[in-house]
Amino acid sequence: MDEIDAAIEKSGPSPQDKEEAAMRIRSLTTRLFKSAYQCSNCGNLFMDLGPAGLEMFRGVDPVNKNLLQSALGDKWKGHLYAEWKDTIPEWQTSHGQIFNETNVSFPTGEFSGNGQYSDWAALERDYYGLFHELKSRNALRYSQLKKNGTLLHSWSDNQERNGVRT
């Protein structure tokens, strides 16, 4: 928690300073939790232990391959978030990232960055391609694209239901 306090206290007065502090805090908080994943092919569960690697757990026969699925099943809508920074922050390894937090694990389009990008044009192309695919599959509830802290695109199914077009 001392690192979180330091990130807040050492942030500067500008909005960009505050944004960088918020992102640093998000990065720090990810260390407090372990992510769990389930393989859609074999049903094995994986716990992400960070630098120590993955811990795998096998189910019994027959394997339930939907242990981590929402109670809404395929009707659960997720979000898409993409961000680009000209200057790579110390907690990131690339200029840009795309996070697909939906039930669509393997989109049909071809995406070059595998979530991490060093080319803005590739990130922007993949974001909009993924956005349109997820939206057409009715798998998206919210989407956002930022470049250097500036919001370039934002969409939500609430806006669309209320007649607001983006």
Side-chain angles (χ1 to χ4, degrees):
M1 293 307 209
D2 291 337
E3 289 183 62
I4 292 174
D5 290 341
I8 295 168
E9 291 167 5
K10 292 179 183 174
S11 69
S14 76
Q16 184 172 351
D17 293 332
K18 300 294 183 197
E19 172 76 13
E20 288 180 13
M23 291 304 292
R24 178 76 177 134
I25 290 167
R26 287 185 191 121
S27 174
L28 292 168
T29 58
T30 59
R31 295 185 212 160
L32 301 175
F33 304 97
K34 289 185 173 68
S35 296
Y37 309 94
Q38 185 174 27
C39 176
S40 59
N41 291 324
C42 66
N44 289 344
L45 287 175
F46 296 89
M47 297 296 292
D48 186 349
L49 305 176
L54 292 174
E55 180 86 27
M56 183 185 76
F57 300 91
R58 293 180 197 247
V60 295
D61 286 330
V63 175
N64 178 351
K65 295 181 181 178
N66 297 309
L67 287 173
L68 302 179
Q69 187 177 29
S70 165
L72 296 175
D74 290 339
K75 292 184 174 113
W76 182 81
K77 294 181 180 183
H79 61 274
L80 176 65
Y81 180 76
E83 182 175 40
W84 176 270
K85 291 188 180 285
D86 287 338
T87 303
I88 300 174
E90 66 183 56
W91 63 88
Q92 282 183 213
T93 58
S94 64
H95 287 282
Q97 297 176 305
I98 293 180
F99 300 97
N100 173 12
E101 300 293 334
T102 68
N103 279 338
V104 180
S105 301
F106 302 103
T108 57
E110 209 170 294
F111 302 104
S112 61
N114 198 24
Q116 306 289 319
Y117 292 83
S118 60
D119 178 59
W120 162 250
L123 180 141
E124 185 178 34
R125 179 192 65 239
D126 287 359
Y127 168 82
Y128 282 110
L130 191 53
F131 166 74
H132 290 296
E133 179 175 348
L134 295 172
K135 186 178 172 197
S136 72
R137 287 184 174 198
N138 203 27
L140 201 56
R141 135 182 98 210
Y142 180 79
S143 182
Q144 189 175 78
L145 172 64
K146 284 185 174 183
K147 184 175 184 184
N148 296 317
T150 301
L151 184 64
L152 300 180
H153 177 255
S154 179
W155 176 89
S156 80
D157 60 353
N158 287 337
Q159 290 173 324
E160 196 158 277
R161 280 195 303 266
N162 295 327
V164 177
R165 296 278 178 204
T166 58

